Amino acid sequence: MDLTWSADEEQFRAEARTWLEAKLAAWRARHDNRILSGDTTEGFAQHLDWERTLFDAGYAAVSWPTEVGGRGASRWEWLIFEEEYYRAGGPQRVTQNGIFLLAPTVFEFGSPEQQAHILPRMASAQDLWCQGWSEPNAGSDLASLSSRAVRDDERGGWVLNGQKTWTTRGAFCTHLFGLFRTDPASERHRGLTYLLVPLDLDGVTVRGFGRLDGDEGFAEVFFEDAFLPDDALPGGVVLGGVGEGWSVAMATTSSERGLTLRSPGRFCATADRLVNLYRERSKDPDALDPGLRDRVVQGWIAAEAYRWQTLQTVTDDAEGRSAGAASSFVKLWWSELDVALHETALDILGAEAELDNVWSKGWQFALSGPIYAGTNEIQRNIAAERVLGLPRK
Amino acid sequence: MDLTWSADEEQFRAEARTWLEAKLAAWRARHDNRILSGDTTEGFAQHLDWERTLFDAGYAAVSWPTEVGGRGASRWEWLIFEEEYYRAGGPQRVTQNGIFLLAPTVFEFGSPEQQAHILPRMASAQDLWCQGWSEPNAGSDLASLSSRAVRDDERGGWVLNGQKTWTTRGAFCTHLFGLFRTDPASERHRGLTYLLVPLDLDGVTVRGFGRLDGDEGFAEVFFEDAFLPDDALPGGVVLGGVGEGWSVAMATTSSERGLTLRSPGRFCATADRLVNLYRERSKDPDALDPGLRDRVVQGWIAAEAYRWQTLQTVTDDAEGRSAGAASSFVKLWWSELDVALHETALDILGAEAELDNVWSKGWQFALSGPIYAGTNEIQRNIAAERVLGLPRK
Amino acid sequence: MRFAFTDDQIAFRDAVKDLLSKECPPEVVRAAWPDGTDDHGARKGEGARADADRVAKVWSDLAEMGVLGVAVAEDHGGLGMAETDWVLLAEETGYAALPHPFVETACVVAPLLSETGDGDGVLGELVDGTRQAGAVSLNGSLVAWGDAVTYLVALDRRGGEDGWSARRITGGVALGDDEHHRRHLADALDAGRHLVQLGAWKADATLGDTDAARRAFDRGALGTAAQLVGLGRRMLDLTVEYAAERRQFGVPIGTQQAVKHHLANVAMGLRFAAPAVYAAAWSMATGSPNASRDVSAAKSLASDAARTAVRNTLQCHGAIGYTVEYDLHLYLKRAEALSRAWGNAAWHRRRVGDALDI
Amino acid sequence: MRFAFTDDQIAFRDAVKDLLSKECPPEVVRAAWPDGTDDHGARKGEGARADADRVAKVWSDLAEMGVLGVAVAEDHGGLGMAETDWVLLAEETGYAALPHPFVETACVVAPLLSETGDGDGVLGELVDGTRQAGAVSLNGSLVAWGDAVTYLVALDRRGGEDGWSARRITGGVALGDDEHHRRHLADALDAGRHLVQLGAWKADATLGDTDAARRAFDRGALGTAAQLVGLGRRMLDLTVEYAAERRQFGVPIGTQQAVKHHLANVAMGLRFAAPAVYAAAWSMATGSPNASRDVSAAKSLASDAARTAVRNTLQCHGAIGYTVEYDLHLYLKRAEALSRAWGNAAWHRRRVGDALDI
């Protein structure tokens, strides 16, 4: 066991810290220090500017090979970068659904031509990808989806019909990756294909709608006889083979549920800010409930536990001891931790908690954690059945 | 709305308070101020002495008619008596399974002859009744029980075979009431009969065994060709008709789950003692976690809420607005409240919590609350399905 | 001993319930949300909108029914009723998420003025619905429906229960005095509450004695507790209905044990908070020495029950509940806001602890 | 960066695990419970008993394997190993509910004496298993296995982290001095811990400096945290097995979502407590300035995870878990006792709060 960082890693951290501090300040200044939510029209443009700043320095996707727009960083350096990113107060990544959900699948299932085209344009935020999983009648029960793609050999492509919904940032993206039923006779998780779809096709309509906090974070995407030509993207629009959609998607889904989307850096930074908030407010102890200190410390410890657990997981992974279905525990932990950290902050803020601020907005965002990427109820089922071995039926 | 007690009720309360204080002190003195658990051999005898003291004053079953050993008190007076009983530190009633579970069924389904025989002997603790519901393979799933009673017309009675278990205080009782399968072809809740069984029959073996706290609070009762003559009790040994056992039993079970077994007095008294414990210990504030005060108050408020809810329920009941399946909420509330009150006390006690004392013993006892009389998981199902109307399947 | 409302009280409740279900459905609550984007660029209440006139109509309908003067003495033009008479009405205004300062106007300020002589001569307008009142408490500075209220009271406590004061806010950069602060709605969780942030203010006189001030605060906390119970019931009703209909994995989600248990917990919290709220109303109505303690117990139970409802009903809805197009958020945000208004659960538990002398 | 144990550490753990699974099965844990009835008339550990000799044998087997001297310097006859070497062994002693003062002897007192010179000349006996040591901490007075230990240390803190002291308890009505107090077991939740209540005592000398005392306490808290993780895993294993077998309503109870979720919560708590425990071991082993903070974080997580395990595994068992004939109670009571020993979760969180300067 060695829980220290090497000199090179410390060097990497110092560079990232210096860079982030300078570039974040410059970015904010460019926008008159008035940064809007990345899930609004004006805010999205501000965030694209930030994404391109990250890309120019090779920080958009640190762990990718340099050839496709990354920096070739190790898993450990990725963790370090994330720690520094959130410590510096870096914003939510508006490109994250591409970089953290689609890209791992492209690395695993994409042809060299697909990889060469898709990844650099994704890292540089030229192409902006949203996820087309959920449908009005297929939320937690993903296998029940019904959007369909019919093969048109004559024209050389697919005819898409159906509807996707709860598509995060769909109104601002250029491309969608998602599952479509290509075998009309199939049921459940068979006969699906993973397709890559430019959103500017004729017959595709995107309608943004408000998330809980009013930000236009969601979209409905309607497909009405939209024709998707095979050459819409170099290397083709099918990822991983026709009819193979479910297993290809599950690889992405397990990325979503696993480590990549939610590095401990984000929660440790939130916990540190919570500690600071408490320290500030406890100068007037009468105003604070005495039980709050315990809750603050509890949150800080839980974030720290998440960090230790991640270091263990990354080590295990590097040494070939895979965590497998255990990623369900990870999703449960961070999503409930995030709610607890924000709820504690709101209780510290008292009446002020009602006003929009980083904590109240963050609380609303945190409430989505136990819902998306497989509800926590489903995660508990998975954990009990696949890890503990309890009987399914 | 009128939340005051009448002058008569206040008078009733004052008399009960004076009587309890004097008689409890006398009882303890008679046993050298060393009262053991009622679930041990020696302790049970002490508690019988107390039960008879109660009976002599008409306090054993205050709400029963005087003819069968009660005092004809109103439901309100019963609540008042219970408040005073627990406030005075009266012990758990070793006769409670008879008085609170069997007796309501006897009142509802028993013949006049059965009532005249069973009730006075129960009130006076001459006959001591235990409940024969659970079997090794029928705990939460009561309808799956398999103990059987075969009719023997020639001898005029029933031949019992099978096994009951987790029978509270079975090792100290004289009689058992329980469900037996009288139609061998029947399944689930059909073909059962509610029988009244003296435990001194040939072929009946009672083996006491230790509860979590080591007290011999449980028994297994084995029936091996035990012959139960029809005239074992005046008025017969069947309560409510052959084959009617399930519906008769459900009446008792809903008593168990409802108001009668767990009057708010017990929890309000525990909450008051918790407040006193905190007041005492907080004289050395360094030793106490500052969050404990909030938990103490939370417990006190929850007990108070239980009291208000009970007053509302008794009023509704008196005015013909039945609570029905809502008794599931009651069981959930008091059982989880009881655990919380005791857990808070243990946290106040710190290292001392490990030693046997009223709180640590009470905590172990409280842990049974979410399990018995229908686990809290089953109660939540019932509440969701029967009260909220959520679909069963 | 009788823990139940009278037939008259129930009938009044039913009348208000009927009115609100007709005149204050979700689209009216939604219509009270400000149009356009907020300072963050978000369109918070987006969705179908009702005619804004309907928002005003609910209030005048309530006035017509006498509801706004329920706690005002008859010689001041009110119904002269007690807390036990209006607590169920407050619950219904919560169930409907009524977008008006009902608690502040009808439960707090109007009876306070009725009791202390109405020196400013506004009581008639409060009762007939042409004027709305606001109240800030516990050193707070957020005025709900601050763009509409034109009579504002501060209820504060300094140094224990004997230190209560009620003051009319008039000067400084208070409401209405300063164009910049006036009608500028703060960006907030529940935009339907029309929060206005109060700047430095001054008061010209104290209304009544410490006891009157304490009771005014307690009525505010009681009314809010009742609204929270109503809001919790609304969220529960919405969710039970949804869970019975929404199918996933071939069955209604309401057949899943996890969903059943989440909603049973919501129902349990509400079932035990409600009697405590009613008992507190009775304590207030009868001038019980435990009235403040009982109100605080009620508010803490109601706040906790509402928060359980917020968390569990959102979770049972899943993604659809997490949108502003669906109605749940209207009630959820109101509940979250009110759970902290007039003292949060922990504040009220500390007050109960003081009363218990620990 | 490498967050994993070495092959040697895993192999040592596996050897101890094997030994304990053979030599310390439930019947041996049960055999350590006192016979007969207690002062309340209860027979707490009732059930099948193993030969009492087997209880003693486990300890000497551990000594033979070198486990008792794991943290003692090699020139004192030990293995000279660090916290990262023994933390997994402690976890296994928890999994087995070993009825001996392993943490006190091997993790606390032996390394303390090894470090401070063994002035009393008892280290050899501690390492070879012929003598057991006890420790009381934080002004406590309950000595676990107090009928057997013959060397007792008090670890107390006065006024912050610099105020730690380690003292050998020798005089007064301490252990062994007074026939009445000696070997009189207190009636307690976990009778298998053989608690003895210490009366007024005196100490003849201080062992080492404040830093050595603090580290001794931290090792006690760390070893106990590891045992709690082991105990939690044992309760979980027992319950998963039971839930897969026990049938009610025609299906194994483990198919019920409520049971799945209860046990998923137990597993989650343990999965996140364990790495924190291992990281704290590393902090101790490397003399990190955050060692005490990390130990306290670990102990609070382990205490909470164990309590969740206690509650949820009992609930999933139902009535059978609520009997002394079934094995669950052996682990459940040990876990409940250890969750408060060496500082409960709240105590340790206060210590972390101090370290965070809030």
Side-chain angles (χ1 to χ4, degrees):
Chain A
M1 193 170 292
D2 175 11
L3 306 186
T4 54
W5 300 107
S6 68
D8 282 355
E9 285 160 346
E10 292 289 6
Q11 171 69 16
F12 176 89
R13 180 190 295 278
E15 277 170 24
R17 184 176 294 193
T18 308
W19 186 88
L20 283 163
E21 203 174 311
K23 297 297 179 181
L24 279 168
W27 172 59
R28 292 196 187 100
R30 277 202 299 284
H31 300 282
D32 303 327
N33 289 308
R34 186 173 167 274
I35 300 294
L36 302 180
S37 161
D39 298 343
T40 61
T41 309
E42 193 184 343
F44 193 78
Q46 297 177 334
H47 283 72
L48 273 189
D49 172 28
W50 170 245
E51 289 294 332
R52 283 162 188 157
T53 307
L54 282 169
F55 174 73
D56 291 342
Y59 281 132
V62 291
S63 58
W64 294 7
T66 48
E67 308 87 73
V68 290
R71 170 182 274 255
S74 72
R75 198 79 179 274
W76 298 117
E77 285 171 333
W78 175 75
L79 281 177
I80 291 170
F81 179 73
E82 291 275 303
E83 283 183 7
E84 292 303 322
Y85 187 84
Y86 287 105
R87 182 178 293 162
Q92 274 274 92
R93 302 285 304 275
V94 294
T95 54
Q96 73 176 14
N97 284 359
I99 291 177
F100 295 126
L101 303 183
L102 171 58
T105 319
V106 172
F107 278 115
E108 192 171 346
F109 296 96
S111 67
E113 199 178 352
Q114 284 176 319
Q115 293 182 356
H117 175 79
I118 294 171
L119 296 169
R121 294 181 59 84
M122 183 191 295
S124 60
Q126 288 170 276
D127 293 345
L128 297 157
W129 290 87
C130 61
Q131 185 190 44
W133 266 198
S134 299
E135 299 181 0
N137 291 310
S140 296
D141 182 13
L142 191 54
S144 69
L145 50 81
S146 65
S147 288
R148 59 200 186 281
V150 176
R151 185 66 205 162
D152 183 336
D153 274 329
E154 205 164 314
R155 285 193 283 172
W158 301 88
V159 179
L160 310 182
N161 276 287
Q163 181 190 350
K164 297 291 182 181
T165 192
W166 300 308
T167 301
T168 299
R169 278 184 290 277
F172 311 119
C173 287
T174 61
H175 292 70
L176 173 142
F177 58 96
L179 289 182
F180 292 81
R181 197 164 291 285
T182 43
D183 176 357
S186 67
E187 283 189 355
R188 305 293 299 163
H189 50 275
R190 281 173 292 273
L192 302 171
T193 298
Y194 194 123
L195 293 178
L196 305 169
V197 187
L199 287 172
D200 59 2
L201 297 179
D202 283 344
V204 176
T205 313
V206 180
R207 188 187 75 87
F209 63 101
R211 243 173 13 199
L212 188 69
D213 58 3
D215 286 2
E216 198 168 291
F218 286 145
E220 292 176 303
V221 184
F222 300 91
F223 302 93
E224 290 164 293
D225 290 331
F227 181 67
L228 171 65
D230 291 336
D231 60 1
L233 291 168
V237 294
V238 173
L239 197 58
V242 173
E244 298 297 318
W246 184 260
S247 54
V248 175
M250 283 305 102
T252 300
T253 302
S254 103
S255 295
E256 185 179 16
R257 287 174 189 178
L259 183 63
T260 51
L261 186 62
R262 294 286 171 258
S263 67
R266 186 176 129 207
F267 306 100
C268 289
T270 304
D272 284 340
R273 275 195 279 274
L274 180 64
V275 167
N276 289 336
L277 177 72
Y278 181 85
R279 192 182 292 121
E280 186 59 37
R281 300 287 172 135
S282 61
K283 287 170 187 165
D284 175 14
D286 283 351
L288 281 184
D289 181 62
L292 285 168
R293 185 180 190 242
D294 188 64
R295 285 173 59 199
V296 170
V297 174
Q298 206 162 352
W300 186 88
I301 289 174
E304 192 76 357
Y306 186 39
R307 197 168 73 84
W308 296 128
Q309 198 272 351
T310 304
L311 295 175
Q312 190 185 39
T313 302
V314 173
T315 304
D316 284 351
D317 205 45
E319 299 181 1
R321 296 182 295 273
S322 170
S327 60
S328 287
F329 289 111
V330 175
K331 198 259 168 166
L332 290 167
W333 190 267
W334 68 249
S335 61
E336 294 177 3
L337 167 61
D338 204 28
V339 174
L341 291 172
H342 285 90
E343 212 157 68
T344 304
L346 296 191
D347 286 344
I348 292 173
L349 291 174
E352 264 178 73
E354 232 190 301
L355 296 176
D356 281 354
N357 58 49
V358 63
W359 291 109
S360 56
K361 299 287 278 186
W363 175 77
Q364 288 180 75
F365 184 70
L367 289 182
S368 68
I371 294 172
Y372 74 86
T375 67
N376 283 13
E377 288 71 25
I378 287 179
Q379 301 293 353
R380 286 188 161 86
N381 290 348
I382 293 173
E385 291 165 9
R386 300 197 201 153
V387 182
L388 301 182
L390 286 170
R392 271 168 180 257
K393 280 290 162 201
Chain B
M1 193 171 292
D2 175 11
L3 306 186
T4 54
W5 300 107
S6 69
D8 282 355
E9 285 161 345
E10 291 291 5
Q11 171 68 15
F12 176 89
R13 180 190 295 278
E15 277 171 23
R17 183 176 294 192
T18 310
W19 185 89
L20 282 163
E21 202 175 311
K23 296 297 178 179
L24 279 167
W27 171 59
R28 292 197 186 98
R30 276 203 298 284
H31 300 282
D32 302 327
N33 288 307
R34 186 174 167 276
I35 301 294
L36 302 181
S37 160
D39 298 343
T40 60
T41 309
E42 193 183 343
F44 192 78
Q46 296 177 334
H47 283 71
L48 273 190
D49 172 27
W50 170 245
E51 289 294 332
R52 283 162 188 158
T53 306
L54 283 169
F55 173 74
D56 290 342
Y59 282 131
V62 289
S63 59
W64 294 8
T66 48
E67 307 87 74
V68 290
R71 168 182 276 256
S74 72
R75 198 82 178 273
W76 300 116
E77 287 170 332
W78 175 75
L79 280 177
I80 292 170
F81 180 73
E82 291 274 303
E83 282 183 9
E84 292 302 322
Y85 187 85
Y86 287 106
R87 182 177 292 161
Q92 275 273 92
R93 302 283 305 274
V94 295
T95 55
Q96 72 176 17
N97 284 0
I99 291 176
F100 295 126
L101 302 183
L102 173 58
T105 318
V106 172
F107 278 115
E108 191 172 346
F109 296 96
S111 67
E113 199 178 353
Q114 284 177 318
Q115 293 182 354
H117 175 79
I118 295 171
L119 297 169
R121 294 180 59 85
M122 182 191 292
S124 60
Q126 288 171 278
D127 292 345
L128 297 157
W129 290 87
C130 60
Q131 185 190 44
W133 267 197
S134 300
E135 299 181 0
N137 291 311
S140 296
D141 182 12
L142 191 54
S144 70
L145 52 79
S146 65
S147 287
R148 60 200 185 281
V150 176
R151 186 65 204 163
D152 183 336
D153 275 329
E154 204 162 317
R155 285 194 284 171
W158 300 87
V159 179
L160 309 182
N161 276 287
Q163 182 190 348
K164 297 291 181 180
T165 192
W166 301 309
T167 302
T168 300
R169 277 182 292 277
F172 310 118
C173 286
T174 61
H175 292 70
L176 174 142
F177 59 96
L179 290 182
F180 292 81
R181 197 163 291 284
T182 43
D183 175 357
S186 66
E187 283 190 354
R188 305 291 301 164
H189 51 274
R190 281 174 291 274
L192 302 170
T193 299
Y194 194 123
L195 293 178
L196 305 169
V197 187
L199 287 171
D200 60 1
L201 297 179
D202 284 345
V204 176
T205 314
V206 180
R207 188 186 76 85
F209 63 101
R211 243 174 14 198
L212 188 68
D213 60 3
D215 286 2
E216 197 167 291
F218 285 145
E220 292 176 302
V221 185
F222 300 91
F223 302 92
E224 290 165 293
D225 290 329
F227 180 67
L228 170 65
D230 292 335
D231 60 0
L233 291 168
V237 295
V238 173
L239 196 56
V242 173
E244 299 298 318
W246 185 260
S247 54
V248 176
M250 282 306 101
T252 300
T253 303
S254 101
S255 297
E256 184 179 16
R257 286 172 190 179
L259 182 65
T260 52
L261 186 62
R262 293 288 170 258
S263 67
R266 187 177 128 206
F267 306 101
C268 290
T270 303
D272 284 339
R273 275 196 279 274
L274 180 63
V275 167
N276 288 336
L277 177 71
Y278 181 86
R279 194 182 292 123
E280 186 59 37
R281 299 289 171 134
S282 61
K283 288 170 186 163
D284 177 13
D286 285 351
L288 280 184
D289 180 62
L292 284 168
R293 185 179 189 244
D294 187 63
R295 285 172 59 199
V296 169
V297 175
Q298 204 161 355
W300 186 88
I301 289 174
E304 193 75 357
Y306 186 40
R307 198 168 72 84
W308 296 127
Q309 197 272 351
T310 304
L311 296 175
Q312 189 185 40
T313 302
V314 172
T315 303
D316 284 349
D317 206 45
E319 299 181 1
R321 297 181 295 273
S322 171
S327 60
S328 287
F329 290 111
V330 175
K331 199 258 169 166
L332 290 168
W333 190 266
W334 67 249
S335 61
E336 294 177 3
L337 167 62
D338 204 28
V339 173
L341 291 171
H342 284 90
E343 213 156 68
T344 304
L346 296 191
D347 286 345
I348 293 173
L349 291 173
E352 263 177 73
E354 231 189 303
L355 296 176
D356 281 355
N357 58 49
V358 63
W359 291 110
S360 57
K361 300 285 278 187
W363 175 77
Q364 289 179 74
F365 185 70
L367 289 182
S368 68
I371 295 172
Y372 73 87
T375 66
N376 283 13
E377 288 71 24
I378 286 179
Q379 300 293 352
R380 285 189 161 85
N381 290 348
I382 293 173
E385 291 165 9
R386 299 196 204 155
V387 182
L388 302 182
L390 287 170
R392 273 170 177 254
K393 279 290 162 200
Chain C
M1 180 65 66
R2 178 177 188 273
F3 196 127
F5 291 96
T6 64
D7 290 345
D8 284 351
Q9 286 163 339
I10 298 288
F12 200 3
R13 190 265 319 263
D14 289 346
V16 169
K17 189 183 185 68
D18 279 354
L19 170 68
L20 291 172
S21 85
K22 285 191 199 94
E23 302 298 334
C24 193
E27 63 266 26
V28 171
V29 180
R30 204 177 273 281
W33 280 59
D35 264 325
T37 58
D38 68 10
D39 277 2
H40 303 284
R43 299 196 300 272
K44 301 182 106 186
E46 187 184 32
R49 288 175 192 288
D51 185 339
D53 289 351
R54 292 186 62 189
V55 178
K57 182 176 187 302
V58 195
W59 192 251
S60 49
D61 284 357
L62 287 169
E64 207 161 296
M65 204 180 249
V67 172
L68 303 181
V70 65
V72 169
E74 291 178 66
D75 50 11
H76 279 294
L79 300 179
M81 288 179 163
E83 285 79 359
T84 36
D85 299 302
W86 59 250
V87 68
L88 292 178
L89 313 187
E91 187 175 325
E92 293 306 323
T93 62
Y95 190 87
L98 177 72
H100 293 288
F102 171 78
V103 166
E104 292 80 356
T105 303
C107 309
V108 176
V109 175
L112 176 67
L113 295 180
S114 169
E115 190 179 340
T116 58
D118 189 25
D120 296 308
V122 296
L123 201 37
E125 292 168 338
L126 294 179
V127 171
D128 72 15
T130 54
R131 184 195 278 269
Q132 295 190 333
V136 293
S137 65
L138 304 175
N139 306 314
S141 63
L142 297 176
V143 185
W145 292 283
D147 54 345
V149 307
T150 53
Y151 192 91
L152 184 59
V153 171
L155 298 163
D156 292 308
R157 187 181 74 161
R158 279 191 202 151
E161 292 297 320
D162 291 337
W164 285 99
S165 69
R167 290 173 290 168
R168 180 181 176 193
I169 293 178
T170 50
V173 283
L175 208 67
D177 281 9
D178 175 325
E179 194 56 36
H180 181 67
H181 284 80
R182 189 179 179 186
R183 295 182 185 277
H184 178 76
L185 299 188
D187 285 333
L189 175 67
D190 176 3
R193 288 217 327 135
H194 293 213
L195 284 187
V196 168
Q197 172 111 47
L198 203 58
W201 51 269
K202 61 181 181 186
D204 54 359
T206 297
L207 298 162
D209 60 7
T210 182
D211 195 50
R214 180 181 52 73
R215 279 187 286 111
F217 172 80
D218 283 341
R219 286 195 305 270
L222 174 66
T224 305
Q227 287 189 325
L228 285 164
V229 170
L231 283 159
R233 288 186 169 158
R234 183 61 164 264
M235 290 186 272
L236 181 60
D237 286 352
L238 276 173
T239 313
V240 166
E241 195 182 337
Y242 180 75
E245 277 170 18
R246 169 77 171 169
R247 296 177 74 87
Q248 292 278 277
F249 303 102
V251 293
I253 62 168
T255 60
Q256 302 284 353
Q257 228 171 40
V259 171
K260 285 181 183 168
H261 290 197
H262 279 329
L263 296 182
N265 287 340
V266 173
M268 178 171 68
L270 294 168
R271 269 172 182 262
F272 283 84
V277 171
Y278 307 152
W282 182 84
S283 292
M284 289 291 293
T286 57
S288 158
N290 294 325
S292 290
R293 187 193 74 187
D294 292 345
V295 166
S296 281
K299 177 64 165 66
S300 77
L301 286 162
S303 290
D304 285 345
R307 288 188 78 171
T308 301
V310 164
R311 285 295 310 278
N312 291 10
T313 61
L314 176 60
Q315 188 66 23
C316 290
H317 271 87
I320 197 167
Y322 198 75
T323 68
V324 292
E325 299 203 339
Y326 190 80
D327 290 334
L328 181 69
H329 85 105
L330 301 169
Y331 307 96
L332 181 156
K333 289 169 178 170
R334 183 68 48 84
E336 182 68 22
L338 293 186
S339 76
R340 288 198 190 78
W342 295 89
N344 69 7
W347 187 91
H348 282 285
R349 283 198 291 269
R350 279 193 281 170
R351 194 174 184 220
V352 172
D354 293 343
L356 293 174
D357 191 27
I358 58 171
Chain D
M1 181 64 64
R2 178 177 188 274
F3 196 127
F5 291 95
T6 64
D7 290 346
D8 283 353
Q9 285 163 338
I10 298 287
F12 198 2
R13 191 266 317 264
D14 289 345
V16 169
K17 189 183 184 67
D18 279 354
L19 169 69
L20 291 172
S21 86
K22 286 192 198 92
E23 301 299 337
C24 193
E27 64 264 27
V28 170
V29 180
R30 204 176 273 282
W33 281 59
D35 264 325
T37 57
D38 68 11
D39 276 2
H40 303 285
R43 299 195 302 273
K44 302 183 107 189
E46 188 186 30
R49 290 173 191 289
D51 184 338
D53 290 352
R54 290 186 63 190
V55 179
K57 182 175 187 301
V58 195
W59 192 250
S60 49
D61 284 356
L62 287 170
E64 209 162 294
M65 204 180 249
V67 172
L68 303 182
V70 64
V72 168
E74 291 180 70
D75 51 11
H76 278 296
L79 299 179
M81 287 179 163
E83 284 80 358
T84 37
D85 299 302
W86 59 250
V87 68
L88 292 178
L89 312 187
E91 186 175 325
E92 292 306 323
T93 63
Y95 190 87
L98 177 72
H100 293 288
F102 171 78
V103 166
E104 292 80 357
T105 303
C107 309
V108 177
V109 174
L112 176 67
L113 294 180
S114 169
E115 189 180 341
T116 58
D118 189 25
D120 296 307
V122 296
L123 202 36
E125 292 168 338
L126 294 180
V127 171
D128 73 14
T130 54
R131 183 194 279 270
Q132 295 189 332
V136 293
S137 64
L138 305 175
N139 306 313
S141 63
L142 298 176
V143 184
W145 291 283
D147 55 344
V149 308
T150 52
Y151 193 90
L152 184 59
V153 170
L155 298 163
D156 291 308
R157 185 180 77 160
R158 281 195 199 149
E161 293 296 321
D162 291 337
W164 284 99
S165 69
R167 290 173 291 169
R168 181 183 174 192
I169 294 177
T170 50
V173 282
L175 210 66
D177 281 10
D178 175 323
E179 194 56 36
H180 181 65
H181 285 78
R182 189 180 179 183
R183 295 182 187 278
H184 176 75
L185 299 188
D187 285 333
L189 175 66
D190 176 3
R193 290 215 330 133
H194 293 213
L195 285 187
V196 168
Q197 171 111 47
L198 205 57
W201 53 269
K202 62 182 180 185
D204 53 1
T206 296
L207 298 162
D209 60 9
T210 181
D211 194 50
R214 181 182 52 74
R215 280 186 285 109
F217 172 80
D218 283 340
R219 286 194 307 270
L222 174 66
T224 305
Q227 287 189 325
L228 284 165
V229 170
L231 283 159
R233 289 186 169 158
R234 182 60 164 264
M235 289 185 273
L236 182 60
D237 286 352
L238 276 171
T239 312
V240 166
E241 195 182 335
Y242 181 76
E245 277 171 16
R246 170 75 171 172
R247 296 177 74 88
Q248 293 278 276
F249 303 103
V251 292
I253 61 170
T255 60
Q256 303 283 353
Q257 228 171 38
V259 171
K260 285 181 183 167
H261 290 197
H262 280 328
L263 297 182
N265 287 341
V266 173
M268 177 171 68
L270 295 168
R271 269 174 182 261
F272 283 84
V277 171
Y278 306 152
W282 183 84
S283 292
M284 289 291 294
T286 57
S288 159
N290 294 326
S292 291
R293 188 193 73 185
D294 292 345
V295 166
S296 280
K299 178 62 165 66
S300 77
L301 285 163
S303 289
D304 285 345
R307 288 188 77 172
T308 301
V310 164
R311 285 295 309 278
N312 290 11
T313 61
L314 176 61
Q315 188 66 23
C316 289
H317 271 87
I320 198 168
Y322 199 76
T323 68
V324 293
E325 299 202 338
Y326 189 81
D327 290 334
L328 181 69
H329 84 105
L330 300 169
Y331 306 97
L332 182 156
K333 290 170 178 168
R334 182 68 49 84
E336 182 68 21
L338 292 186
S339 75
R340 287 200 190 77
W342 295 90
N344 70 8
W347 188 91
H348 282 285
R349 282 196 292 269
R350 278 194 281 169
R351 194 175 184 219
V352 172
D354 293 343
L356 294 174
D357 190 26
I358 59 171

